Amino acid sequence: MFTKLKSDLIMAPMAGITDVAFRLLCKKYGAGLTFTEMISANALARGNKATIKMIDVVPEEKPRVIQLFGQNTESLVKAAKYCEDKCEILDFNLGCPAAKIIRQGSGSALLERPNKVKEIITALSSAVKNPITVKMRLGIRKSKINVVEIAQICEEAGAKMITVHARTQKQGYTGEADWSWIKKVKQAVSIPVTGNGDVRSVEDYLRMKKETGCDYVMIGRAAVGRPYLFKQINDYNRTGKYKQREQKEQIGDFFEYLKLAEKYKLNFKNIKFHAQAFTKGIRGAGKLRLKISRYKNVQEIKGLMKPFYNNNL
Ligand SMILES: Cc1cc2nc3c(=O)[nH]c(=O)nc-3n(C[C@H](O)[C@H](O)[C@H](O)COP(=O)(O)O)c2cc1C
């Protein structure tokens, strides 16, 4: 059985972005599940210190998901065993389109190797006690979509939930996500299916659920700088209404992120990224982002953001 979640909303794994502070903020605003960014199983199996540090999960965010990528079954099993007691769920990446990842045969490159996928998911499912989930794209290109076959193989091999990012590898992050494939996967498997791709609002969420019948909805880019979106959707589900977020409140969210980032001693690069992200939709955001990009320490960022928070600009 897949873990029961507090809401049907999931924050997507995003490399360099979904650090522990941001994940906790997403959970506070009602994400039922959050993922670490993808972690290299090869590096983890070798005991690489920098990779071990990337597993920044804390008990407060339970249920925790660690996402692994790789192509070597032995390394994946070793990495999964390392993660077994550090998280509730282990996710396997079959979606990353980045050149350096597919060159090593990992991420979305594996969509071309159904037998290898079967071998990996079978091995992971029997190696650890955690449910194994899989996040996948539609296929390599539009003329070679095989997501239904891959999802069925994963289910047979023991996977407990499938996420479909409804784009092909070749699409990268451009073009439109084709949700009709999420519906096809949902109809083809009996484990829960999470739909992902281009959900940016309460209305998109409602439309994805209605059009695809998916069990969960995963949101990536739209929740960056705007984790309050999870609350808006949950509020709508509960009451039929939701509130717009004011500029001041959104900057307040950044300060909350910052408090957590300082607590967990996150690096300045992450703080800078999120400071820029939380200016989303604010008047003069372009100029603010440029200023932030030149800053060298947290004090400078605080100085710039405080007046927005105090509403005395
Ligand atoms: C900067 C960035 C980093 C990402 N990193 C990961 C990752 O580590 N693992 C993964 O499975 N997907 C990753 N993704 C893909 C997202 O999880 C998600 O599938 C994609 O952004 C589509 O959802 P959206 O339209 O809601 O953003 C990344 C996407 C972006 C833009």
Side-chain angles (χ1 to χ4, degrees):
M1 262 293 282
F2 185 63
T3 321
K4 187 156 172 39
L5 305 183
K6 281 199 184 128
S7 94
D8 61 356
L9 301 172
I10 302 182
M11 177 62 211
M14 296 178 81
I17 300 174
T18 47
D19 54 56
V20 60
F22 187 66
R23 296 197 306 269
L24 285 168
L25 200 54
C26 290
K27 283 257 162 89
K28 179 192 147 182
Y29 282 131
L33 205 60
T34 53
F35 288 49
T36 64
E37 64 180 290
M38 59 179 201
I39 310 276
S40 162
N42 285 344
L44 203 56
R46 283 197 309 270
N48 180 293
K49 288 213 174 74
T51 308
I52 289 172
K53 247 187 99 185
M54 286 166 79
I55 304 179
D56 57 352
V57 289
V58 294
E60 292 77 24
E61 59 167 320
K62 280 183 185 181
R64 298 160 294 187
V65 189
I66 297 177
Q67 189 191 58
L68 296 173
F69 75 94
Q71 80 304 84
N72 180 293
T73 310
E74 214 176 298
S75 301
L76 278 159
V77 165
K78 203 165 163 195
K81 286 193 167 143
Y82 177 83
C83 297
E84 187 169 20
D85 294 325
K86 297 177 175 58
C87 64
E88 284 57 56
I89 298 166
L90 268 168
D91 189 72
F92 183 55
N93 182 311
L94 280 183
C96 185
K100 67 173 186 201
I101 303 296
I102 56 179
R103 223 180 287 128
Q104 40 163 291
S106 302
S108 58
L110 281 166
L111 295 170
E112 287 197 295
R113 301 180 65 197
N115 288 336
K116 188 74 188 172
V117 170
K118 185 177 174 181
E119 176 191 303
I120 290 171
I121 304 303
T122 307
L124 289 176
S125 299
S126 58
V128 291
K129 60 176 187 270
N130 320 60
I132 303 296
T133 60
V134 190
K135 180 165 178 281
M136 59 186 68
R137 286 190 178 235
L138 303 185
I140 303 293
R141 54 171 59 83
K142 286 197 174 147
S143 59
K144 272 173 88 177
I145 289 180
N146 62 345
V147 67
V148 173
E149 179 199 351
I150 296 287
Q152 284 172 327
I153 285 171
C154 290
E155 177 176 33
E156 276 163 32
K160 297 288 186 278
M161 189 273 276
I162 301 282
T163 301
V164 178
H165 173 195
R167 281 194 175 79
T168 62
Q169 177 199 81
K170 297 285 180 213
Q171 275 183 290
Y173 294 98
T174 60
E176 250 181 60
D178 182 351
W179 293 354
S180 68
W181 289 102
I182 301 172
K183 182 176 179 180
K184 291 186 183 108
V185 171
K186 174 65 193 162
Q187 288 168 345
V189 298
S190 52
I191 51 177
V193 171
T194 299
N196 171 236
D198 295 346
V199 174
R200 302 185 191 96
S201 62
V202 175
E203 292 71 25
D204 289 340
Y205 157 86
L206 294 169
R207 194 163 54 81
M208 180 182 269
K209 289 227 72 168
K210 189 163 168 244
E211 285 180 14
T212 72
C214 63
D215 301 276
Y216 306 106
V217 171
M218 177 184 276
I219 304 178
R221 290 163 295 181
V224 177
R226 214 157 55 98
Y228 190 75
L229 178 57
F230 294 115
K231 180 165 161 50
Q232 290 178 320
I233 299 173
N234 286 333
D235 283 350
Y236 184 86
N237 279 339
R238 255 196 329 268
T239 66
K241 293 191 299 234
Y242 65 92
K243 266 183 28 197
Q244 292 301 331
R245 195 73 166 155
E246 281 176 29
Q247 170 174 310
K248 175 182 166 171
E249 294 169 321
Q250 188 170 305
I251 299 297
D253 290 340
F254 166 68
F255 280 101
E256 197 151 334
Y257 166 83
L258 190 56
K259 213 158 76 188
L260 290 162
E262 289 180 326
K263 177 174 172 189
Y264 293 107
K265 300 188 173 39
L266 300 189
N267 63 42
F268 183 55
K269 203 167 139 227
N270 284 46
I271 294 174
K272 212 163 150 162
F273 174 87
H274 283 287
Q276 290 176 317
F278 277 102
T279 64
K280 204 184 249 181
I282 284 171
R283 202 161 5 100
K287 276 194 190 137
L288 289 175
R289 282 182 203 167
L290 191 65
K291 278 189 182 161
I292 295 168
S293 72
R294 293 180 181 139
Y295 286 165
K296 302 267 181 304
N297 62 58
V298 175
Q299 284 320 316
E300 287 177 301
I301 296 181
K302 281 184 182 167
L304 181 78
M305 302 288 250
K306 266 264 157 63
F308 285 87
Y309 185 46
N310 296 332
N311 241 2
N312 54 10
L313 268 192

